[in-house]
Amino acid sequence: MNIRTRTLRPLTLAVLSSCLMAGALSSAVAQTTTLGTRGTLSQANSPTTTNPYANWSTYDRKADYPRSISLPLQYITTSKGDKLSVRVSVPANLLGMQAPGKFPVILTQTAYRNGVGQILGTIATGDTTLIIGGKDDYMIRRGYITVAVDAWGTGMSTGETQLIGEAEQEAYGEAVKWVTQQPWFNGNLGLAGTSYLGITSLLTAKQQHPAVKAVFAAVPMGDAYRGVVGVGGLLNAQFLSIWLPLTHGLSVGVLNTAEQLLNPKLASTIKLANQQHIDAIDSWYLPTVNNGLAGKVGISTDDGSFWSVRSPIEGSNQIKVPTFLVGGTNDIFQRDVPLLYEQIKHNANTKLMVLPGSHVGSILKLISGAEGIPKGRYLLLQWFDQYLKGMNTGAASMPTVTQYVQGYGSTERYARATDWPHPQMTAQRMYLREGKLLSTQAPTATEVSASVSEPQAPVVTISRGNESVKAEVTLNDGSKCSSSYDQWTLGIAGILGGSCYKDANKVETAQKAAIYETPALSSDLYLNGPIQADVWVTTTRTDAALAVRVDSVSPDGVATPISTGLMSARYRAVDTSRSRYVNGVMIQPWHAFTASSAQPVVPGQPMLVPVEIFPNAALIRAGHKLRVAISASNQAQGVWPLPNQANAIGGTTVILNSAEHPSSIVLPVVPANTLN
C-alpha cells in the first residue's frame, strides 16, 4: 500500500494549473483513472463514447392479467435453521385465483419489514412500489411474480441482526435458492429495491447465482465508511440517530403482535423473532455505536473487515448482469452511486441516473417521474421486460448517464452523457487567496491568512428504551441550518420546510467560515464530477477537521449549495495508488482511515489536508460567482469520537495561502456546450 502525504512545490502547482487550463481548451477527452477500493487500485479509465444521441421515451404495455393477489405469509427455512419471512404476490384472474404457469420473479430483501411494503402496495396500486418492497400491482399484472423477504434478523425473520453483516448476506443467497425451487419460477430472477433494498440487491448480485439476470437498484450504498458513516474519519451521528431507530423499530413491538394475531400458525416464530430483535439492542446496536463513539479501532476506523463487508463497492466488479442505478444529488449515497456505476459498467449494460434531491426526495422523484424522464414503473418494466422476458424494449439504447444539473434551466434540467466521469471532464485548479478571492493564479508571496475555530462539541445520546433503540443528537456548530442537515436526515428536514437548506449563507455565517469567491463569471462554468480541496493549515490543537462547501452565488447573494466535504487532519494521508487522477492531477483522494495511516497533528506545523468533496453536477451561470467556504466542522455530517473531542474543541485552524503553502481546489470542468 502506497500511503503518503502529498507535498507539491509552488512552482509545480503553478505549472500544473497553467497546463490544465490550456489542456481544457485543446483536449476533447479527459485522461482519467478510476477511483480504487479497498481491494482494487485505481487504473486507466478510457471513457465510454457509445450511444451518444440517446433520448428518453416512455415504455409501457397493457396488462396481461386483470388482478394481482398475495399469498399467505410464509417462511423460508435456511440451511442453518433460521427463518426468513417471505411474502409472494402473483398474477390472478378476475375471480382472484392465482394464474397458472411459470413466471419471472423480482426479489426484494428489506430491513424495513415486508408487511409495510405490502400495505403501501395495496394503497398505491398505480405507481411502482416494488422498489420499496411492496406488492407491485403494475408489474405483477404484466406477468411477474414478486417475492419480498425480511432480511435475516429484521422484520419477522429470526436472528439477532448485525445489519448487512455476513450472516445476513449468506441469507440473501438462501432466499435466491428458495425462489429457484418454486413451481411458479421460470428461471429468470431480477433483483430490485430502493436504499437498503438496493444494497441487498447489489450484494446478492455479487454472489453470481446463475438465475439472477438483472438488477434495478435505486439510491444504494457503496462504501459504508467513506460515503456514509465515517465521512472524513469522523462519525455520522446525525444519520445514525435516525436510521438505527428506524430499522429496529420496524422489527419489534406492536407490528409483530398484530402479525401474530393475523397468522396464529406462525405466531411462535414471529414471537421468537421479536425477542431476538430486542436482544440485538444489547448484543449489537448499542455496543457497535458506543464503540464508534469511543474511538475503537475497526469501528471508528476502517481497520479489519467490519466496514468492507458492509460496503457493496467491494467486489461490485463481480456483478456481471445488466444493472440500472439511480442516485440523488443530495442523497446520503451521493458519493457512492456513480462509483458503483464505474465498477460495474464494463461487465454488462449499466445505466446511471442521478435525480435531484435528498434520499426521500429522489425516491419520490423516481416514482413520479421527472421532466422528460419516465416514471420509475416504466423504467422498471422496460428493464425487466428486456432482461427477464427477453423482449426487445430498447433497454440497451437508453441514455447511459443522465444527471440532474443544478442551475441548468427551468425546462431542461437533465444532462445526458455516454459515461461518468464525463468523457470531456478536465481538472482546473483554483487557489485560495487573500481578500476572499478564488483565483486561477497561485500566490507568489505570503498573504494574509484566514482562520476558523472548532466549536463546542455536539451532544450525542444513543440509548436503550424498553424494547427499542433511542437516539438524540444536538448540534452546536450551526450545521442544523444547512444542506448537509437535510441530506443526513434523509430529506425529512427539507420536507418539513426551511430556506436554510437551500442557502448556504446562513450556516457559513453561523460558523464564521472562511469565504473565497471568484469575481462574477464572464461565461457559464459547468462542473460535473468529484472535487478535491488541497488545504494547507496550521492548528493550535492536536486534532482538527476541515469542512469544505462549494456554492454557486447568484447576483442577489443567494449561495446555493453544490457539494460538501469533511476531513480529519489526523487521517490526511492519501493512498496515491487508489486515488483518481485527471491528466495526472489528483481530483479525488483515497484516504485509508486506518490506525496505522494516522499522522500526528502538531500545533503550529504546516500540513496539507486533501479533502474529498462528493461528486455533483452544476452549471454556474455567467454573472454568478463560484464560492468555496471552509469551516472547522460540519456536525450534521460527522462528529468527533470522544477521545478526539478534547484534542480538537476550542482549537483554531489557520488556512495558509502563500507561495510555499498554496491552498487550492481542483474542479471537474466540462465544456458547457456539451449540455445536450
Side-chain angles (χ1 to χ4, degrees), residues 537-556:
V537 298
T538 61
T539 70
T540 60
R541 305 300 297 270
T542 55
D543 261 315
L546 291 175
V548 182
R549 296 176 178 82
V550 180
D551 309 321
S552 173
V553 183
S554 65
D556 60 359

Side-chain angles (χ1 to χ4, degrees), residues 493-515:
I495 292 174
L496 297 176
S499 62
C500 62
Y501 310 128
K502 298 180 180 179
D503 187 352
N505 278 309
K506 296 183 180 181
V507 64
E508 290 162 7
T509 299
Q511 295 180 340
K512 298 180 181 179
I515 303 292

Side-chain angles (χ1 to χ4, degrees), residues 433-435 446-451 514 516 536 538 654-658:
R433 304 290 301 275
E434 69 178 356
T446 300
E447 299 180 344
V448 176
S449 301
S451 63
Y516 303 88
W536 283 96
T538 61
V654 177
I655 301 167
L656 305 178
N657 42 298
S658 66

Side-chain angles (χ1 to χ4, degrees), residues 241-300:
S241 71
I242 293 175
W243 183 62
L244 292 180
L246 174 65
T247 56
H248 188 264
L250 290 173
S251 296
V252 296
V254 65
L255 293 175
N256 280 340
T257 301
E259 289 288 358
Q260 291 177 50
L261 296 174
L262 293 171
N263 302 278
K265 293 182 179 179
L266 303 176
S268 60
T269 301
I270 299 172
K271 185 177 181 180
L272 170 64
N274 187 72
Q275 186 58 52
Q276 289 178 322
H277 303 161
I278 293 171
D279 293 342
I281 299 174
D282 297 317
S283 67
W284 192 81
Y285 280 94
L286 293 184
T288 303
V289 175
N290 288 332
N291 283 335
L293 290 171
K296 183 177 180 179
V297 172
I299 302 296
S300 68

Side-chain angles (χ1 to χ4, degrees), residues 205-228:
K206 193 167 66 173
Q207 297 176 8
Q208 296 186 335
H209 193 287
V212 174
K213 301 299 195 303
V215 177
F216 193 105
V219 287
M221 179 174 68
D223 190 324
Y225 188 90
R226 287 163 186 78
V228 187

